[in-house]
Coordinates of all heavy atoms in Angstrom, one line a residue:
G447 N -37.3 7.1 19.3 CA -38.3 8.1 19.6 C -38.1 9.4 18.9 O -37.1 9.8 18.4
Q448 N -39.3 10.1 18.8 CA -39.3 11.5 18.1 C -40.1 12.4 19.0 O -40.8 11.9 19.9 CB -39.9 11.4 16.7 CG -39.2 10.4 15.8 CD -37.8 11.0 15.4 OE1 -37.7 12.2 15.1 NE2 -36.8 10.1 15.4
P449 N -40.1 13.7 18.8 CA -40.8 14.6 19.6 C -42.3 14.3 19.7 O -43.0 14.5 20.7 CB -40.6 16.0 18.9 CG -39.3 15.8 18.2 CD -39.3 14.4 17.8
Y450 N -42.8 13.7 18.6 CA -44.3 13.4 18.5 C -44.6 11.9 18.8 O -45.7 11.5 18.8 CB -44.8 13.7 17.1 CG -44.0 13.1 16.0 CD1 -44.2 11.7 15.6 CD2 -42.9 13.8 15.4 CE1 -43.4 11.2 14.6 CE2 -42.2 13.2 14.4 CZ -42.4 11.9 14.0 OH -41.6 11.3 13.0
R451 N -43.5 11.1 19.2 CA -43.8 9.7 19.4 C -42.7 9.2 20.3 O -41.5 9.4 20.1 CB -43.8 8.9 18.1 CG -43.9 7.4 18.3 CD -43.8 6.7 17.0 NE -43.0 7.3 16.0 CZ -41.7 7.2 16.0 NH1 -41.0 6.6 17.0 NH2 -41.0 7.8 15.0
P452 N -43.0 8.5 21.4 CA -42.0 7.9 22.3 C -41.2 6.8 21.6 O -41.7 6.2 20.6 CB -42.8 7.5 23.5 CG -44.1 7.1 22.9 CD -44.4 8.2 21.9
A453 N -40.1 6.5 22.2 CA -39.3 5.3 21.7 C -40.1 4.0 21.9 O -40.8 3.9 22.8 CB -38.0 5.2 22.5
Q454 N -40.0 3.2 20.9 CA -40.7 1.9 20.9 C -39.9 0.8 21.5 O -38.6 0.8 21.3 CB -41.2 1.5 19.5 CG -42.0 2.6 18.8 CD -43.3 2.8 19.5 OE1 -44.0 1.9 19.7 NE2 -43.6 4.1 19.7
Q455 N -40.5 -0.2 22.1 CA -39.8 -1.4 22.4 C -39.6 -2.2 21.2 O -40.3 -2.0 20.2 CB -40.6 -2.2 23.4 CG -40.8 -1.6 24.8 CD -39.5 -1.4 25.5 OE1 -38.7 -2.3 25.6 NE2 -39.3 -0.2 26.0
L456 N -38.6 -3.1 21.2 CA -38.2 -3.8 19.9 C -39.4 -4.5 19.3 O -39.6 -4.4 18.0 CB -37.1 -4.8 20.2 CG -36.6 -5.6 19.0 CD1 -36.1 -4.6 17.9 CD2 -35.5 -6.5 19.4
P457 N -40.2 -5.3 20.0 CA -41.3 -6.0 19.3 C -42.3 -5.0 18.6 O -42.8 -5.2 17.5 CB -42.0 -6.8 20.4 CG -41.0 -7.0 21.4 CD -40.1 -5.7 21.4
D458 N -42.5 -3.9 19.3 CA -43.4 -2.9 18.7 C -42.8 -2.2 17.5 O -43.5 -1.9 16.5 CB -43.8 -1.8 19.8 CG -44.6 -2.4 20.9 OD1 -45.3 -3.3 20.7 OD2 -44.4 -1.9 22.1
A459 N -41.5 -1.9 17.6 CA -40.8 -1.3 16.4 C -40.9 -2.2 15.2 O -41.1 -1.8 14.1 CB -39.4 -1.0 16.8
I460 N -40.7 -3.5 15.4 CA -40.8 -4.5 14.3 C -42.2 -4.5 13.7 O -42.3 -4.5 12.5 CB -40.4 -5.9 14.8 CG1 -38.9 -5.9 15.1 CG2 -40.7 -6.9 13.8 CD1 -38.4 -7.2 15.7
Q461 N -43.2 -4.5 14.6 CA -44.6 -4.5 14.0 C -44.8 -3.2 13.2 O -45.5 -3.2 12.2 CB -45.6 -4.6 15.2 CG -45.6 -6.0 15.8 CD -46.0 -7.1 14.8 OE1 -46.8 -6.8 13.9 NE2 -45.3 -8.2 14.9
L462 N -44.3 -2.0 13.8 CA -44.6 -0.8 13.1 C -43.9 -0.7 11.7 O -44.4 -0.2 10.7 CB -44.1 0.4 14.0 CG -45.0 0.7 15.2 CD1 -44.4 1.7 16.1 CD2 -46.4 1.2 14.7
I463 N -42.6 -1.2 11.7 CA -41.9 -1.2 10.4 C -42.6 -2.1 9.4 O -42.5 -1.8 8.2 CB -40.4 -1.5 10.6 CG1 -39.6 -0.8 9.5 CG2 -40.1 -2.9 10.6 CD1 -38.1 -0.7 9.8
K464 N -43.2 -3.2 9.9 CA -43.9 -4.0 9.0 C -45.1 -3.3 8.3 O -45.4 -3.5 7.2 CB -44.4 -5.3 9.7 CG -43.4 -6.3 10.1 CD -44.1 -7.5 10.8 CE -43.1 -8.6 11.1 NZ -43.8 -9.7 11.9
L465 N -45.7 -2.5 9.2 CA -46.9 -1.7 8.7 C -46.5 -0.7 7.6 O -47.3 -0.3 6.8 CB -47.6 -1.0 9.8 CG -48.3 -1.8 10.9 CD1 -48.8 -1.0 12.0 CD2 -49.4 -2.6 10.2
L466 N -45.2 -0.3 7.6 CA -44.7 0.7 6.6 C -44.3 0.1 5.3 O -44.0 0.8 4.4 CB -43.6 1.5 7.2 CG -43.9 2.4 8.5 CD1 -42.7 3.0 9.0 CD2 -44.9 3.5 8.1
A467 N -44.2 -1.3 5.3 CA -43.8 -2.0 4.1 C -44.9 -1.8 3.0 O -46.1 -2.0 3.2 CB -43.6 -3.4 4.4
G468 N -44.4 -1.4 1.9 CA -45.3 -1.2 0.7 C -45.9 0.2 0.6 O -46.4 0.5 -0.4
S469 N -45.7 1.0 1.6 CA -46.1 2.4 1.5 C -44.9 3.3 1.6 O -44.5 3.8 0.6 CB -47.1 2.7 2.6 OG -46.6 2.4 3.9
Q470 N -44.3 3.3 2.8 CA -43.1 4.1 2.9 C -41.8 3.3 2.5 O -40.9 3.9 1.9 CB -42.9 4.6 4.4 CG -41.7 5.4 4.6 CD -41.6 5.9 6.1 OE1 -42.6 6.1 6.7 NE2 -40.4 6.1 6.6
L471 N -41.8 2.1 2.8 CA -40.6 1.3 2.7 C -40.7 0.1 1.7 O -41.8 -0.4 1.5 CB -40.1 0.7 4.0 CG -39.9 1.8 5.1 CD1 -39.7 1.1 6.5 CD2 -38.7 2.7 4.8
D472 N -39.6 -0.3 1.1 CA -39.5 -1.4 0.2 C -40.0 -2.7 0.9 O -39.3 -3.1 1.9 CB -38.1 -1.6 -0.3 CG -37.9 -2.7 -1.3 OD1 -38.6 -3.7 -1.2 OD2 -37.0 -2.6 -2.2
P473 N -41.1 -3.3 0.5 CA -41.6 -4.4 1.3 C -40.6 -5.6 1.3 O -40.6 -6.4 2.3 CB -42.9 -4.8 0.6 CG -42.8 -4.2 -0.8 CD -41.9 -3.0 -0.6
E474 N -39.9 -5.9 0.3 CA -39.0 -7.0 0.3 C -37.8 -6.8 1.2 O -37.4 -7.7 1.9 CB -38.4 -7.2 -1.2 CG -39.5 -7.7 -2.1 CD -38.9 -8.0 -3.5 OE1 -37.6 -8.0 -3.6 OE2 -39.7 -8.4 -4.4
L475 N -37.3 -5.5 1.3 CA -36.3 -5.2 2.3 C -36.8 -5.3 3.7 O -36.0 -5.8 4.6 CB -35.7 -3.8 2.0 CG -34.9 -3.7 0.7 CD1 -34.3 -2.2 0.6 CD2 -33.8 -4.7 0.5
V476 N -38.0 -4.8 3.9 CA -38.5 -4.9 5.3 C -38.7 -6.4 5.7 O -38.4 -6.8 6.8 CB -39.9 -4.2 5.4 CG1 -40.6 -4.6 6.7 CG2 -39.7 -2.7 5.2
D477 N -39.1 -7.2 4.8 CA -39.3 -8.7 5.1 C -38.0 -9.3 5.5 O -37.9 -10.1 6.4 CB -39.9 -9.4 3.8 CG -40.2 -10.8 4.1 OD1 -41.0 -11.1 5.0 OD2 -39.6 -11.7 3.5
V478 N -36.9 -8.9 4.8 CA -35.6 -9.5 5.2 C -35.1 -8.9 6.5 O -34.6 -9.6 7.4 CB -34.5 -9.1 4.1 CG1 -33.1 -9.5 4.5 CG2 -34.9 -9.8 2.8
F479 N -35.4 -7.6 6.7 CA -34.9 -7.0 7.9 C -35.5 -7.6 9.2 O -34.9 -7.9 10.2 CB -35.2 -5.5 7.9 CG -34.6 -4.7 9.0 CD1 -33.2 -4.3 9.0 CD2 -35.4 -4.3 10.1 CE1 -32.7 -3.6 10.0 CE2 -34.8 -3.6 11.1 CZ -33.5 -3.2 11.1
V480 N -36.9 -7.8 9.2 CA -37.5 -8.2 10.4 C -37.3 -9.7 10.6 O -37.6 -10.2 11.7 CB -39.1 -8.0 10.3 CG1 -39.4 -6.5 10.1 CG2 -39.7 -8.8 9.2
R481 N -36.7 -10.4 9.7 CA -36.3 -11.8 9.9 C -34.9 -12.0 10.2 O -34.4 -13.2 10.3 CB -36.7 -12.6 8.6 CG -38.2 -12.6 8.3 CD -38.5 -13.4 7.0 NE -39.9 -13.3 6.7 CZ -40.8 -14.1 7.1 NH1 -40.5 -15.1 8.0 NH2 -42.1 -14.0 6.8
L482 N -34.1 -10.9 10.4 CA -32.7 -11.1 10.8 C -32.6 -11.8 12.1 O -33.4 -11.6 13.0 CB -32.1 -9.7 10.8 CG -31.9 -9.0 9.5 CD1 -31.4 -7.6 9.8 CD2 -30.9 -9.7 8.6
P483 N -31.6 -12.7 12.3 CA -31.4 -13.3 13.5 C -31.0 -12.3 14.6 O -30.5 -11.2 14.2 CB -30.3 -14.3 13.2 CG -29.6 -13.8 12.1 CD -30.6 -13.1 11.2
P484 N -31.1 -12.6 15.8 CA -30.8 -11.6 16.9 C -29.3 -11.5 17.1 O -28.7 -12.1 18.0 CB -31.4 -12.2 18.1 CG -31.5 -13.7 17.9 CD -31.7 -13.8 16.4
L485 N -28.6 -10.7 16.2 CA -27.2 -10.6 16.3 C -26.8 -9.3 17.1 O -27.5 -8.3 17.1 CB -26.6 -10.4 14.9 CG -26.9 -11.6 13.9 CD1 -26.4 -11.3 12.5 CD2 -26.3 -12.9 14.4
K486 N -25.7 -9.4 17.7 CA -25.2 -8.2 18.4 C -24.3 -7.3 17.6 O -24.1 -6.2 17.9 CB -24.3 -8.7 19.7 CG -25.2 -9.4 20.7 CD -24.3 -9.7 21.9 CE -25.2 -10.3 23.0 NZ -24.4 -10.6 24.2
Q487 N -23.8 -7.8 16.5 CA -23.0 -7.0 15.6 C -23.1 -7.6 14.2 O -23.5 -8.7 14.0 CB -21.5 -6.9 16.0 CG -20.8 -8.3 16.0 CD -19.4 -8.1 16.6 OE1 -19.1 -7.2 17.3 NE2 -18.6 -9.0 16.2
P488 N -22.8 -6.8 13.2 CA -22.8 -7.3 11.8 C -21.9 -8.5 11.6 O -20.9 -8.6 12.2 CB -22.3 -6.1 11.0 CG -22.6 -4.9 11.8 CD -22.4 -5.4 13.2
A489 N -22.4 -9.4 10.8 CA -21.7 -10.7 10.6 C -20.3 -10.4 9.9 O -19.3 -11.0 10.1 CB -22.5 -11.6 9.8
R490 N -20.3 -9.4 9.0 CA -19.1 -9.1 8.3 C -18.6 -7.7 8.7 O -19.3 -6.7 8.5 CB -19.4 -9.1 6.7 CG -18.2 -8.8 5.9 CD -18.6 -8.6 4.5 NE -19.4 -9.6 3.9 CZ -20.3 -9.4 3.0 NH1 -20.6 -8.2 2.6 NH2 -21.0 -10.4 2.5
T491 N -17.5 -7.6 9.2 CA -16.9 -6.3 9.6 C -15.7 -5.9 8.8 O -15.1 -4.9 9.0 CB -16.5 -6.3 11.1 OG1 -15.6 -7.4 11.3 CG2 -17.7 -6.5 12.0
E492 N -15.3 -6.8 7.8 CA -14.2 -6.4 7.0 C -14.7 -5.7 5.8 O -15.1 -6.3 4.8 CB -13.4 -7.7 6.5 CG -12.7 -8.4 7.7 CD -11.6 -7.5 8.3 OE1 -11.0 -6.7 7.5 OE2 -11.4 -7.6 9.5
L493 N -14.8 -4.3 5.8 CA -15.2 -3.6 4.7 C -14.1 -3.3 3.8 O -12.9 -3.7 4.0 CB -15.8 -2.2 5.2 CG -17.0 -2.4 6.2 CD1 -17.6 -1.1 6.5 CD2 -18.0 -3.3 5.6
A494 N -14.4 -2.7 2.6 CA -13.4 -2.5 1.6 C -12.2 -1.8 2.1 O -12.3 -0.8 2.8 CB -14.0 -1.7 0.4
T495 N -11.0 -2.3 1.6 CA -9.8 -1.6 2.0 C -8.9 -1.3 0.7 O -7.8 -0.9 0.8 CB -8.9 -2.5 2.9 OG1 -8.7 -3.8 2.3 CG2 -9.6 -2.7 4.3
N496 N -9.5 -1.5 -0.4 CA -8.7 -1.3 -1.7 C -9.6 -0.6 -2.7 O -9.6 -0.9 -3.9 CB -8.2 -2.6 -2.3 CG -9.4 -3.6 -2.5 OD1 -10.5 -3.4 -2.1 ND2 -9.0 -4.7 -3.3
V497 N -10.4 0.4 -2.2 CA -11.2 1.2 -3.1 C -10.3 2.0 -4.0 O -9.4 2.6 -3.5 CB -12.2 2.1 -2.3 CG1 -13.1 2.8 -3.2 CG2 -12.9 1.2 -1.3
P498 N -10.7 2.2 -5.3 CA -9.9 3.1 -6.2 C -9.8 4.5 -5.6 O -10.7 4.9 -4.9 CB -10.6 3.0 -7.5 CG -11.4 1.7 -7.5 CD -11.7 1.5 -6.0
E499 N -8.8 5.2 -6.0 CA -8.6 6.6 -5.6 C -8.3 6.5 -4.1 O -7.5 5.7 -3.6 CB -9.7 7.5 -6.0 CG -9.9 7.6 -7.5 CD -11.2 8.2 -7.9 OE1 -12.2 7.8 -7.5 OE2 -11.1 9.2 -8.6
V500 N -8.9 7.4 -3.3 CA -8.7 7.4 -1.9 C -9.8 6.6 -1.2 O -11.0 6.9 -1.4 CB -8.7 8.8 -1.3 CG1 -8.5 8.8 0.2 CG2 -7.5 9.6 -1.9
D501 N -9.4 5.6 -0.4 CA -10.4 4.7 0.3 C -10.8 5.3 1.6 O -10.0 5.3 2.6 CB -9.8 3.3 0.5 CG -10.7 2.4 1.3 OD1 -11.9 2.8 1.3 OD2 -10.2 1.5 1.8
C502 N -12.0 5.9 1.7 CA -12.4 6.5 3.0 C -12.5 5.4 4.1 O -12.5 5.8 5.3 CB -13.8 7.1 2.8 SG -13.8 8.6 1.7
A503 N -12.6 4.2 3.7 CA -12.8 3.1 4.7 C -11.5 2.4 5.1 O -11.5 1.5 5.9 CB -13.8 2.1 4.2

Side-chain angles (χ1 to χ4, degrees):
Q448 299 294 317
Y450 52 86
R451 174 185 33 76
Q454 305 295 309
Q455 295 297 313
L456 181 60
D458 295 329
I460 290 175
Q461 288 300 325
L462 286 171
I463 208 166
K464 286 180 179 179
L465 292 175
L466 297 174
S469 56
Q470 179 177 333
L471 303 172
D472 182 328
E474 293 185 3
L475 293 183
V476 170
D477 185 61
V478 174
F479 188 79
V480 300
R481 295 176 185 276
L482 291 172
L485 301 176
K486 292 186 178 181
Q487 62 183 25
R490 183 193 304 147
T491 56
E492 291 297 325
L493 301 186
T495 57
N496 58 349
V497 184
E499 298 169 302
V500 177
D501 174 22
C502 293

